[in-house]
Amino acid sequence: MKNVVIHKVITFVFTEAQLRGYWNEKKQKIPFESLTNEQLMALAEDMLANSSHSQLEQHILDHGWRVKEEIEGQVLAEDDSREHVHVEVIDTTKQGSPSTKLFIDRLSQIECSQCGFSFYVRNVNADTTHLKCPSCLQLLKN
């Protein structure tokens, strides 16, 4: 099964069955089976853009029906050309090496050792000693 995974700040999973239903709903003349991986990614992004908030809930990883197993498998194609989104087509029927952790939107997650508050920072280098926690206002320790 080819699922499309869209990583933003949260991860959206569009299963092959959902994509097929969306494609058929659009009454396209081209058979779904003939779509390329790039076309599947574009279809998922179109589906994402045209979904209501309540419809989007069914695509959020670890929320409702979407589970980790739906994003595990062989990566067939990916698009990392944009700063704020990473899209992958994953064949869940084939073994693949696990994806490396990707900070979406090129953000780094930082957790305050004082209060445990977790937040994201864009374009930060390894030296975080100049940063203050937005929650408790303490200087962060490396």
Side-chain angles (χ1 to χ4, degrees), residues 108-112 117-121 131-135 140:
S108 297
Q109 182 179 13
I110 298 175
E111 186 172 322
C112 177
F117 183 75
S118 182
F119 61 100
Y120 296 88
V121 179
L131 295 177
K132 287 187 178 181
C133 173
S135 179
L140 297 174

Side-chain angles (χ1 to χ4, degrees), residues 11 13 17 26 28 30 40 43 52-53 58 61 66 72 77 82-83 95 99 107 113 128 131-132 142:
T11 299
V13 179
K26 294 174 67 106
Q28 299 296 324
I30 302 169
L40 285 173
L43 180 63
S52 69
H53 288 285
Q58 66 181 312
L61 184 63
R66 303 288 65 95
E72 293 176 346
R82 291 162 291 160
E83 186 173 350
Q95 288 287 83
S99 292
L107 300 176
S113 60
T128 58
L131 295 177
K132 287 187 178 181
N142 267 347

Side-chain angles (χ1 to χ4, degrees), residues 15-28:
T15 66
E16 185 176 320
Q18 290 169 323
L19 292 168
R20 182 185 308 277
Y22 186 67
W23 181 255
N24 292 337
E25 183 180 292
K26 294 174 67 106
K27 300 191 183 336
Q28 299 296 324

Side-chain angles (χ1 to χ4, degrees), residues 16-52:
E16 185 176 320
Q18 290 169 323
L19 292 168
R20 182 185 308 277
Y22 186 67
W23 181 255
N24 292 337
E25 183 180 292
K26 294 174 67 106
K27 300 191 183 336
Q28 299 296 324
K29 301 207 188 295
I30 302 169
F32 179 81
E33 293 75 20
S34 69
L35 294 179
T36 66
N37 291 330
E38 289 72 22
Q39 290 171 316
L40 285 173
M41 290 188 286
L43 180 63
E45 289 190 76
D46 183 64
M47 193 172 174
L48 175 67
N50 291 301
S51 294
S52 69

